[in-house]
Amino acid sequence: MLVRNFIFWLSTKKTLTDAIARRGMRYGFAKRFIAGQSLAEALEASHELNRDGRSVSLNHLGENVTTLDGAVGVKDGYIEMVHELDRKGLDGNISIKLTQLGLDIGRDTCQKLTEEIIAEAARLGRTIEMDMEGSAYTDATLEIFEATRRQYDNVALAVQAYLYRSAQDLERLAPLHPKIRLVKGAYREPAKIAYQKKSDVDANYRRLLDRLLGGEFFPAIATHDPKMLEDARARLRERGLTDGRYEFQMIYGVRRDLQQQLREEGHALRIYVPFGTEWCPYFMRRLSERPANCWFVLRSLVAESFGGTKES
Ligand SMILES: Cc1cc2nc3c(=O)[nH]c(=O)nc-3n(C[C@H](O)[C@H](O)[C@H](O)COP(=O)(O)OP(=O)(O)OC[C@H]3O[C@@H](n4cnc5c(N)ncnc54)[C@H](O)[C@@H]3O)c2cc1C
């Protein structure tokens, strides 16, 4: 836990993340978890994943855009992504973060920009998935989600199992019959609002999953935890839920063995594909989830410096 918290803390230090970012792509260790710096590279990675029977959710990395011009630029970028997915006939959708779309500037601005993306995606038959960020943004994200979902079918939301409030949030969302991506939660939240022990987060994940499988939602089961995956499969079998009524989701480059297994078993699987130049805080959150990944990075650095192999 100490190591996880330390790596997470480092991920919030901009001078450090900028320094790592300057080296990461050059040395290649970031490529395991980031599809590339450009949209073209992300589309290429998506094409390969589609060939393996996996759909994708593209995410342009970056958080907390605080100028209107910046937020409008992000919005235009997302619309371009939807067009490119369509033009290339790829099986995929888009994941957005509301802080990239001006949530810190104002709720109305953010909602307006978000609606523009959703409307254009609706025209092209694509879905927009809203990531859930730190707890300072949970209320606003839920409100914007509800407002847009009332107008559009093609919008989904992530819900975090570590928050105590999530069970109530699902009750609130149930009448909208939305697609919900169930995740454990990637930020550091205090005990006042969030479970701290893995066993408690896991227990809540199972409870929320039961609720999601009850018929009012389209569940997206987003985890790399072998135990959660086993439980989810058992629940799907018990309920006789077949393909088309749920999906699994995993992150690009993470537990590729489990990704392969799910596909071999015939489950629908969507891969969250992050790309962009601002990849370091995201990358370090992935490291903090599994400190063993630090060894992967170190091994890659050593191997690449001395001309060895890159893969673990
Ligand atoms: C598709 C997708 C979208 C997400 N969207 C959001 C979001 O919108 N908001 C949010 O807060 N969080 C999001 N997350 C992150 C999530 O909240 C967790 O932080 C992350 O998935 C780790 O939790 P876990 O369920 O995979 O398992 P954990 O309990 O963290 O780990 C259990 C086991 O899973 C494996 N594992 C987990 N992470 C890794 C890793 N990085 N590398 C290698 N193995 C690993 C290991 O075997 C580990 O022992 C998303 C996750 C996924 C898969």
Side-chain angles (χ1 to χ4, degrees):
M1 190 47 113
L2 223 61
V3 180
R4 290 173 81 134
N5 285 342
F6 179 62
I7 301 173
F8 186 86
W9 176 78
L10 289 179
S11 79
T12 64
K13 302 290 153 226
K14 191 156 163 41
T15 17
L16 179 80
T17 57
D18 284 351
I20 295 175
R22 280 196 297 278
R23 287 173 182 80
M25 284 292 177
R26 176 148 48 93
Y27 285 107
F29 62 76
K31 287 187 186 140
R32 166 71 178 265
F33 300 108
I34 317 293
Q37 303 206 54
S38 67
L39 176 57
E41 288 170 287
L43 292 168
E44 184 51 40
S46 303
H47 184 65
E48 275 173 37
L49 290 163
N50 278 183
R51 255 203 325 250
D52 281 345
R54 295 154 217 215
S55 57
V56 298
S57 191
L58 290 185
N59 175 252
H60 191 197
L61 292 168
E63 288 155 36
N64 297 86
V65 172
T66 51
T67 64
L68 184 57
D69 281 355
V72 170
V74 170
K75 182 264 297 173
D76 291 342
Y78 276 122
I79 289 181
E80 185 195 349
M81 281 157 70
V82 177
H83 284 164
E84 285 299 302
L85 281 175
D86 198 60
R87 207 170 61 78
K88 293 199 158 23
L90 292 167
D91 179 1
N93 68 29
I94 305 283
S95 284
I96 60 173
K97 279 192 171 41
L98 296 189
T99 61
Q100 282 181 302
L101 291 160
L103 193 51
D104 291 322
I105 305 170
R107 229 205 70 165
D108 291 350
T109 304
C110 180
Q111 184 168 325
K112 186 175 161 294
L113 296 177
T114 306
E115 269 175 26
E116 281 185 49
I117 302 171
I118 296 171
E120 188 59 10
R123 202 178 63 77
L124 297 173
R126 303 272 165 176
T127 298
I128 299 299
E129 304 204 0
M130 282 184 201
D131 286 358
M132 187 59 85
E133 301 178 68
S135 57
Y137 301 107
T138 314
D139 280 325
T141 305
L142 272 165
E143 283 161 21
I144 292 176
F145 175 74
E146 286 175 319
T148 50
R149 172 68 198 176
R150 283 195 195 99
Q151 301 176 67
Y152 298 97
D153 284 342
N154 64 321
V155 56
L157 178 71
V159 166
Q160 298 157 325
Y162 62 16
L163 293 184
Y164 304 142
R165 61 177 288 169
S166 290
Q168 272 180 316
D169 289 340
L170 286 190
E171 294 314 319
R172 169 174 160 185
L173 295 169
L176 297 170
H177 303 293
K179 173 178 179 179
I180 297 291
R181 176 205 300 161
L182 183 60
V183 300
K184 289 193 187 175
Y187 301 84
R188 290 292 167 267
E189 303 291 1
K192 211 166 74 176
I193 60 166
Y195 296 105
Q196 304 293 307
K197 284 191 356 221
K198 176 172 160 56
S199 55
D200 291 336
V201 178
D202 289 356
N204 202 37
Y205 193 98
R206 291 186 178 95
R207 282 192 293 273
L208 297 176
L209 182 58
D210 278 332
R211 184 67 184 93
L212 288 181
L213 295 173
E216 284 153 290
F217 300 90
F218 181 94
I221 307 159
T223 179
H224 316 97
D225 187 336
K227 282 209 198 95
M228 293 302 112
L229 291 169
E230 204 41 63
D231 283 7
R233 286 186 190 96
R235 284 162 159 78
L236 292 169
R237 272 196 304 274
E238 275 162 27
R239 290 174 165 79
L241 284 184
T242 47
D243 216 12
R245 298 187 51 199
Y246 68 90
E247 71 183 21
F248 285 94
Q249 293 193 357
M250 290 196 191
I251 291 177
Y252 184 80
V254 175
R255 294 305 305 255
R256 291 179 296 191
D257 53 336
L258 296 176
Q259 296 184 14
Q260 182 65 23
Q261 194 184 345
L262 284 175
R263 278 309 299 147
E264 282 166 6
E265 291 171 7
H267 297 286
L269 175 63
R270 184 179 302 280
I271 305 299
Y272 185 95
V273 178
F275 75 97
T277 49
E278 288 182 44
W279 51 266
C280 203
Y282 167 89
F283 175 71
M284 291 185 73
R285 281 203 297 277
R286 300 289 80 81
L287 294 190
S288 80
E289 282 155 11
R290 190 168 179 250
N293 282 342
C294 294
W295 292 114
F296 162 80
V297 169
L298 282 178
R299 268 205 313 276
S300 304
L301 275 175
V302 171
E304 287 165 38
S305 304
F306 295 100
T309 55
K310 289 182 202 163
E311 266 306 68
S312 63

Coordinates of all heavy atoms in Angstrom, one line a residue, residues 87-118:
R87 N -14.7 6.7 -40.5 CA -14.1 6.7 -41.9 C -13.3 5.4 -42.1 O -13.4 4.8 -43.1 CB -13.2 7.9 -42.0 CG -13.0 8.4 -43.4 CD -12.2 9.7 -43.4 NE -10.9 9.6 -42.8 CZ -9.8 9.1 -43.4 NH1 -9.9 8.7 -44.6 NH2 -8.7 9.1 -42.8
K88 N -12.7 4.9 -41.0 CA -11.9 3.7 -41.2 C -12.7 2.5 -40.9 O -12.2 1.3 -40.9 CB -10.7 3.8 -40.2 CG -9.7 4.9 -40.6 CD -8.3 4.6 -40.0 CE -7.1 5.2 -40.6 NZ -7.2 6.4 -41.4
G89 N -14.0 2.6 -40.5 CA -14.9 1.5 -40.3 C -14.4 0.7 -39.1 O -14.6 -0.6 -39.1
L90 N -13.8 1.3 -38.1 CA -13.4 0.6 -36.9 C -14.5 0.3 -35.9 O -15.4 1.1 -35.8 CB -12.2 1.3 -36.2 CG -10.9 1.4 -37.0 CD1 -10.0 2.5 -36.5 CD2 -10.3 0.1 -37.1
D91 N -14.4 -0.8 -35.2 CA -15.4 -1.1 -34.2 C -14.9 -0.5 -32.9 O -14.0 -1.0 -32.2 CB -15.4 -2.7 -34.0 CG -16.4 -3.1 -32.9 OD1 -17.0 -2.2 -32.3 OD2 -16.5 -4.3 -32.7
G92 N -15.5 0.7 -32.6 CA -15.0 1.4 -31.4 C -15.8 2.6 -31.0 O -16.7 3.1 -31.8
N93 N -15.6 3.1 -29.8 CA -16.2 4.3 -29.3 C -15.1 5.2 -28.7 O -13.9 4.9 -28.8 CB -17.4 4.0 -28.4 CG -17.0 3.3 -27.1 OD1 -15.9 3.6 -26.6 ND2 -17.8 2.5 -26.5
I94 N -15.6 6.2 -28.0 CA -14.7 7.2 -27.4 C -14.9 7.3 -25.9 O -16.1 7.3 -25.5 CB -15.0 8.6 -28.0 CG1 -14.9 8.6 -29.5 CG2 -14.0 9.7 -27.4 CD1 -13.5 8.6 -30.1
S95 N -13.8 7.4 -25.1 CA -14.0 7.7 -23.7 C -13.5 9.1 -23.5 O -12.4 9.5 -23.9 CB -13.1 6.8 -22.8 OG -13.7 5.5 -22.8
I96 N -14.3 9.9 -22.7 CA -13.9 11.3 -22.5 C -13.8 11.6 -21.0 O -14.4 10.9 -20.2 CB -15.0 12.3 -23.1 CG1 -16.4 12.1 -22.4 CG2 -15.1 12.2 -24.6 CD1 -17.4 13.1 -22.8
K97 N -13.0 12.5 -20.6 CA -12.9 13.0 -19.3 C -13.4 14.4 -19.2 O -13.0 15.3 -20.0 CB -11.4 13.1 -18.8 CG -10.9 11.7 -18.4 CD -9.5 11.9 -17.7 CE -9.1 10.6 -17.0 NZ -9.2 9.4 -17.8
L98 N -14.4 14.7 -18.3 CA -15.1 16.0 -18.3 C -14.1 17.1 -17.9 O -14.3 18.3 -18.3 CB -16.3 16.0 -17.4 CG -17.4 15.0 -17.9 CD1 -18.7 15.3 -17.1 CD2 -17.7 15.2 -19.4
T99 N -13.1 16.8 -17.1 CA -12.1 17.9 -16.8 C -11.3 18.4 -18.0 O -10.7 19.5 -18.0 CB -11.2 17.5 -15.7 OG1 -10.4 16.4 -16.1 CG2 -11.9 17.2 -14.4
Q100 N -11.3 17.5 -19.1 CA -10.6 18.0 -20.3 C -11.6 18.9 -21.1 O -11.1 19.6 -22.0 CB -10.4 16.8 -21.2 CG -9.2 15.9 -20.9 CD -9.1 14.8 -21.9 OE1 -10.0 14.0 -22.1 NE2 -8.0 14.7 -22.5
L101 N -12.8 18.8 -20.8 CA -13.8 19.6 -21.5 C -14.3 20.8 -20.7 O -15.5 21.2 -20.8 CB -15.0 18.7 -21.9 CG -14.6 17.7 -23.0 CD1 -15.6 16.5 -23.0 CD2 -14.5 18.3 -24.4
G102 N -13.5 21.3 -19.8 CA -13.7 22.6 -19.1 C -14.6 22.5 -17.9 O -15.1 23.5 -17.4
L103 N -14.6 21.3 -17.2 CA -15.4 21.2 -16.0 C -14.9 22.2 -14.9 O -15.7 22.7 -14.1 CB -15.4 19.8 -15.5 CG -16.4 19.4 -14.4 CD1 -17.8 19.8 -14.7 CD2 -16.4 17.9 -14.0
D104 N -13.6 22.5 -14.9 CA -13.1 23.4 -13.9 C -13.5 24.9 -14.3 O -13.4 25.8 -13.5 CB -11.6 23.3 -13.8 CG -11.1 22.0 -13.2 OD1 -11.8 21.6 -12.2 OD2 -10.1 21.4 -13.6
I105 N -13.8 25.1 -15.6 CA -14.2 26.5 -16.0 C -15.7 26.7 -15.5 O -16.0 27.7 -15.0 CB -14.1 26.7 -17.5 CG1 -12.7 26.3 -18.0 CG2 -14.5 28.1 -17.9 CD1 -12.6 26.2 -19.5
G106 N -16.5 25.7 -15.8 CA -17.9 25.8 -15.4 C -18.7 24.7 -15.9 O -18.4 24.1 -17.0
R107 N -19.8 24.3 -15.2 CA -20.6 23.1 -15.6 C -21.3 23.3 -16.9 O -21.3 22.4 -17.7 CB -21.6 22.9 -14.5 CG -21.7 21.5 -14.0 CD -23.0 21.2 -13.4 NE -24.0 21.2 -14.5 CZ -25.2 20.7 -14.3 NH1 -25.6 20.2 -13.2 NH2 -26.0 20.6 -15.3
D108 N -21.8 24.5 -17.1 CA -22.6 24.7 -18.3 C -21.7 24.6 -19.6 O -22.1 24.0 -20.6 CB -23.3 26.1 -18.3 CG -24.4 26.2 -17.3 OD1 -24.7 25.1 -16.7 OD2 -24.9 27.3 -17.0
T109 N -20.5 25.2 -19.5 CA -19.6 25.2 -20.6 C -19.3 23.7 -20.9 O -19.3 23.2 -22.1 CB -18.2 25.9 -20.2 OG1 -18.5 27.2 -19.9 CG2 -17.2 25.8 -21.4
C110 N -18.9 23.0 -19.9 CA -18.6 21.6 -20.0 C -19.7 20.8 -20.7 O -19.5 20.0 -21.6 CB -18.2 21.0 -18.7 SG -17.7 19.3 -18.7
Q111 N -20.9 21.0 -20.1 CA -22.1 20.2 -20.6 C -22.3 20.5 -22.1 O -22.6 19.7 -22.9 CB -23.3 20.6 -19.8 CG -24.5 19.7 -20.3 CD -25.7 19.8 -19.3 OE1 -25.5 19.9 -18.1 NE2 -26.9 19.8 -19.8
K112 N -22.2 21.8 -22.5 CA -22.4 22.2 -23.9 C -21.4 21.5 -24.8 O -21.8 21.0 -25.9 CB -22.3 23.7 -24.0 CG -22.6 24.3 -25.3 CD -22.6 25.8 -25.3 CE -22.5 26.3 -26.8 NZ -21.2 26.0 -27.4
L113 N -20.1 21.5 -24.4 CA -19.1 20.9 -25.3 C -19.3 19.4 -25.3 O -19.2 18.8 -26.4 CB -17.7 21.2 -24.7 CG -17.3 22.7 -24.7 CD1 -15.9 22.9 -24.1 CD2 -17.3 23.2 -26.2
T114 N -19.7 18.8 -24.2 CA -19.9 17.4 -24.1 C -21.1 17.0 -25.1 O -21.0 16.0 -25.8 CB -20.2 16.9 -22.7 OG1 -19.2 17.4 -21.9 CG2 -20.4 15.4 -22.6
E115 N -22.1 17.8 -25.0 CA -23.3 17.5 -25.8 C -23.0 17.6 -27.3 O -23.5 16.8 -28.1 CB -24.4 18.6 -25.6 CG -25.4 18.1 -24.5 CD -26.4 19.2 -24.1 OE1 -26.7 20.0 -24.9 OE2 -26.8 19.1 -22.9
E116 N -22.1 18.5 -27.7 CA -21.7 18.6 -29.1 C -21.0 17.3 -29.6 O -21.3 16.8 -30.7 CB -20.7 19.8 -29.3 CG -21.4 21.1 -29.4 CD -20.4 22.2 -29.7 OE1 -19.6 22.1 -30.7 OE2 -20.4 23.2 -29.0
I117 N -20.2 16.7 -28.7 CA -19.5 15.5 -29.1 C -20.6 14.3 -29.2 O -20.6 13.6 -30.1 CB -18.5 15.1 -28.0 CG1 -17.4 16.2 -27.8 CG2 -17.8 13.8 -28.4 CD1 -16.5 16.0 -26.7
I118 N -21.5 14.3 -28.2 CA -22.4 13.2 -28.1 C -23.4 13.3 -29.3 O -23.7 12.3 -30.0 CB -23.2 13.2 -26.8 CG1 -22.3 13.0 -25.6 CG2 -24.4 12.2 -26.8 CD1 -23.0 13.2 -24.3

